Amino acid sequence: MSVLRGPLGTVGLGVCLVVLGVWTRSASLRSRHWPSTPGVISASYVSVRSGGKSRTGTIEYRYTVEGRTYTGSLLSFGKTLFESESTTVARYPQGAQVDVFYDPKDPALAVLDPGAAPGTGLALLAGIGLVGYGVWRGLAR
């Protein structure tokens, strides 16, 4: 049996999801207190691939902090997880003026929709579940 398919692989995947979940949840909570600056949507479109079965929404924005211009594409930390690409693109049309919330320690990290959402905890919960299941399967052998 491959290690990746066994309990060790399940635990490894779970640990990765826990780390991702903790980082995302932490960043989303911090972003509620980030300063904002005016920005503009520089690109907003939906790409269709694989014969129309795969859709990807792209939103890019420009903003300036202390005289330096940045480009961002992160909308939020999980808030738009369950939103369709078309809805997201409609909310942020090209040329629209927006408030960009940026990390004061690293202005290159920014979001348009700060704060936490239930989606930010999904990776954490899934990771904990996978770690638990992997440990249980390993002990059941």
Side-chain angles (χ1 to χ4, degrees):
M1 176 186 271
S2 169
V3 172
L4 294 178
R5 291 185 186 172
L8 185 58
T10 303
V11 170
L13 178 59
V15 168
C16 290
L17 286 174
V18 166
V19 170
L20 175 66
V22 167
W23 181 85
T24 303
R25 184 73 177 166
S26 174
S28 68
L29 292 173
R30 282 193 321 269
S31 73
R32 292 186 306 183
H33 306 289
W34 288 353
S36 67
T37 188
V40 65
I41 302 295
S42 55
S44 178
Y45 57 90
V46 175
S47 300
V48 181
R49 297 184 189 153
S50 302
K53 293 181 182 179
S54 175
R55 299 168 59 93
T56 304
T58 299
I59 307 289
E60 293 178 355
Y61 50 90
R62 284 190 319 267
Y63 60 102
T64 302
V65 176
E66 296 180 3
R68 184 167 179 195
T69 300
Y70 296 90
T71 301
S73 60
L74 184 61
L75 299 180
S76 70
F77 294 103
K79 283 189 172 185
T80 58
L81 188 62
F82 300 107
E83 187 174 88
S84 75
E85 294 83 4
S86 300
T87 302
T88 302
V89 167
R91 269 192 338 147
Y92 298 107
Q94 188 168 342
Q97 301 293 315
V98 292
D99 288 327
V100 179
F101 297 84
Y102 63 92
D103 183 344
K105 294 178 183 174
D106 179 13
L109 177 60
V111 295
L112 297 181
D113 194 6
T120 59
L122 290 178
L124 181 60
L125 291 175
I128 290 170
L130 284 173
V131 167
Y133 178 73
V135 169
W136 174 76
R137 288 290 293 158
L139 293 176
R141 290 183 158 193

